[in-house]
Structure formats: C-alpha cells, structure tokens
Amino acid sequence: MMDEDKAGQDERAREILRVNDRGGYTVPTARLYPFQWNWDSALVAMGWAMFDEARGWREIEMLLAGQWEDGFVPHIVFHAPSEDYFPGPEVWGLAERAPPTSGITQPPVLATAVRWMLERARARAEAAARAAAIYPRLVASHRWWVRARDPHASGLVTTLHPWETGMDNSPAWDEALARVPRETTTPIVRRDIAHVAAAMRPRAEEYERFIHLVDLFRGLGWSPEKMLAESPFKVVDIGTNAILLRAERDLLVLARRFGSVAERAEIEARIARQGAAIGRLWSGAGGIYFSADLIANALIPVSTSAGMLPVFASEYGHAAALAARLRAWAEAVRWLVPSIAPDSPSFEPQRYWRGPVWPCMNWMLADGFGAAGETATARLLAEAMGALIRASGFYEYFDPCDGAGLGGTDFSWTAAVALLLPREGEGDPRF
Ligand code: GLC
C-alpha cells in the first residue's frame, strides 16, 4: 500500500472510532450493535492506542466495569439503553446489574491487548499505572475460565453458546446446535435484519436455538455449575482455547511486572496444561486443528480459520502445514482468510461466519504467522485486509471471492485493524 493511501485510510479509521465512541466505550457499529462487545473492545482499545493511549485504556476499563464478582467478563455490556438490538438486558434477566450485561462470555483477547498497549506506550508511567490496576481483574478473569469452564483441569475450556465463540453461525457448530430445541419462552424480535440483509445474517432457525439457550441459562440463574451440567450445547472451541492460551502467555508477562511469585507459578501451570491439551485438537488427516463436541465426544471435522489460531497462541509445531493450507485456500478464493475452507460443502461466501473474511481473524493470524516466521503468509493476510478496506470500505466482514463489503458499515474493529496494519516496506508483518 502506498504511504498516502495508508495515511488516508488511517485518518478515516480514526474518524470511525471517534464516531462510534459513546463516551469511554466504542460500539462495534451504530444501530446493529449499540453496546460494548467483549472481544471487539480488546481490538478497538489497541486501535485507539495508536493515536490516543488514554482512550485505549479507558475502553478496557469500561469493559471491565461489566465484570462480575466471580471474575466473569460478559460478552456484552449494556451501558445505555437502545431499541436497536435483540436480545437486550431484560431477555438476559440481568437488567438490575449496574451496568446491565449479558450472561455469556466471548474469546478473551483482553490480556493480550493490555500487554500490547503497555509495551508500546509512549506515556509509560500512565500506562504502567493503568495496567497495574487492570492486572488483578485479568487474573480473576482467567481464574474464572478454569473454574467455570474447566473444573476438572483438562487444559481445555468449554463453550456453552455459539455466541461465546464470537463465530456465531460457524458450520462447525451445526451438528451440536441441531441438538438444541427451537422452542423459546422469549418471543423473538429480530432487529438485526432490519439493519442488514437477511442473507448475510444467521438463519431464523439458528436464532431460535440461540435464544433457547439464553432462556435455559437465565432459568438456571446463570450458575456456572448448572450451565455446564445442563447445556445441550457443549463444545471445546479451538478458537477460544487458542486465544485463552495466548492470553495466559501475555498475562504471565504482566505478572512478571505486577504479580506475585505464586501468581506466576499458577499461570505457568495453566500454560503448561493448556499447551499440552491443545495438541489433542490437531488432526493429522485434516491438516488443521479442530474443535470438539463434548456431547458427541468427538472432534468436529470442519476446517475453519479458527483451526489455525494455535499459531496466535505461540504453538508453532504445525505452523508450516497451516501456512501451506492457507496458500491452498488462496488458490480457491481471491481474498484471505475465508472463515471456512472454500472447498467445504457449507461454504457460503456472504453468510456471516460461513465463508466471509473477518478483520479480527486476519489480525490474529497475521500476528501468529509473523511470529512463527511464516512471514510471506503473514504479509498476505495483512495486505488482503488493507486491499479489502481500500476497495470496499470499513465493513464488518467481506466476501472472500469478490471482496464485497458485507454486514455493518463503518465498523470499529475493522477501523482498529486498519490502524494496526503495518505500512508497506515496514518489513515486520507482526502487528
Ligand atoms: C457478531 C459477531 C461477534 C462480534 C459481534 C459484535 O455477533 O459474530 O464476533 O463480537 O457481532 O461485533
């Protein structure tokens, strides 16, 4: 990308973050997503930090204002009411909390963002003070993951709702989700398809099952033990587990500065356990990591972009094979990285997590492949993102075949990823 192009794109990206700023937190996009989302915020905080470090820290502090007493970090924090989104705080039955939140979580990118911001800070004293105050919250959040979602210390955490994976309608969840009944006690009032074409969103049937799970968990009082015992949807998501392992490694770096000897030992033990366990999700036959269905007690043989995320977790044993796989995908589609293998029968290039390119994935995978020494692959992912934004705009996701922009417009994490992209000739494909 030419420098002038990059400068113009960066200016537009900063403008999008400012427009989506609701006073300390950033909505993913106006109307479609009018609250603060968990993993969006981690990316957005880094984007802000590229030009306003104090605002970047604020983003994280606002998300953590929604953290529960037991360490749980919700997937949505409802800072202010809005009519534009379903299911709102009443459906979660958590409207009385201050601030109201959802009752499920999302992939934990937060510790990674905090380390990233701390290490790149120009205002070093302020960054150290803010990171030190955030650090105990991150420790509590990682302890929650293990206590609530891996009580037997297998090294792999369980996900109980497709929304928790951040990849809502991924074909990887089709079979597991089919076991969830369609009946809901909450009447479904979809607001998303008033903002975006239905063909780019999950189907009605998936939505019913999503809400069935919310109804069930609300009825269980959001008790982690009961949810884990009773959920009809129970998967080990390779994406969440890889992101958590990466977050643990970043938390360890923070603990060396802010934590106790005991905390460091605790985090190191989790890293050892998780690192060994994630290897069990590698499929030699598939040439990629798979998620697992805990109810069917089997790996889920669907090749998704999440199946490459162990490189983001600094697991490089299969990095070369994964890079080769990605290059094979690049023969079939014009733009990387499609959310599932383009030769899969479930591939739909415009439908949400069933094919499109998502900026968060390009950022994580470029970072991981770059660190693994797969520089050419990392550069390909970074360049694809820049080119897609240049050609189509700051969309939520993109068609990997023709590059069309899809879903919400002027999207915050797309803007953040654009700001994090290296300039041409900078050499280092790691963000
Ligand atoms: C959708 C995406 C999810 C994201 C959210 C807000 O639900 O699937 O990953 O966090 O929108 O952007």
Side-chain angles (χ1 to χ4, degrees), residues 58-93:
R58 188 88 192 106
E59 186 73 29
I60 288 175
E61 290 156 2
M62 287 291 275
L63 182 76
L64 289 171
Q67 185 174 31
W68 291 13
E69 299 67 25
D70 66 354
F72 164 81
V73 182
H75 99 298
I76 306 176
V77 182
F78 300 103
H79 291 289
S82 169
E83 283 300 307
D84 279 322
Y85 183 80
F86 172 87
E90 345 51 65
V91 178
W92 298 91

Side-chain angles (χ1 to χ4, degrees), residues 136-198:
R137 309 284 212 119
L138 300 176
V139 172
S141 153
H142 288 206
R143 284 183 181 148
W144 174 86
W145 270 104
V146 173
R147 203 172 53 241
R149 299 304 179 83
D150 184 24
H152 303 300
S154 74
L156 296 171
V157 294
T158 300
T159 289
L160 302 178
H161 194 299
W163 284 341
E164 289 198 317
T165 68
M167 306 179 189
D168 314 6
N169 66 341
S170 167
W173 317 138
D174 285 356
E175 248 185 74
L177 190 62
R179 279 185 224 113
V180 176
R182 294 177 63 171
E183 293 69 42
T184 65
T185 48
T186 302
I188 295 185
V189 195
R190 287 201 49 189
R191 308 244 198 252
D192 57 327
I193 46 184
H195 306 306
V196 169

Side-chain angles (χ1 to χ4, degrees), residues 1 9 335 362 381-392 418 421:
M1 193 188 313
Q9 197 178 75
W335 304 105
N362 279 44
L381 293 171
E383 284 171 2
M385 210 57 254
L388 282 169
I389 295 171
R390 205 160 52 245
S392 302
L421 285 172

Side-chain angles (χ1 to χ4, degrees), residues 27-29 32-33 35-41 75-76 85 106-107 162-169 201-202 207 352-353 358 360 396-397 411-413:
V27 297
T29 183
L32 184 61
Y33 302 119
F35 309 109
Q36 190 178 23
W37 260 258
N38 181 330
W39 73 330
D40 297 61
S41 273
H75 99 298
I76 306 176
Y85 183 80
Q106 253 189 343
W163 284 341
E164 289 198 317
T165 68
M167 306 179 189
D168 314 6
N169 66 341
R201 299 284 308 175
Y207 239 83
Y352 218 43
W353 287 96
W358 285 77
C360 55
E396 182 179 9
Y397 45 98
F411 218 82
S412 294
W413 67 12

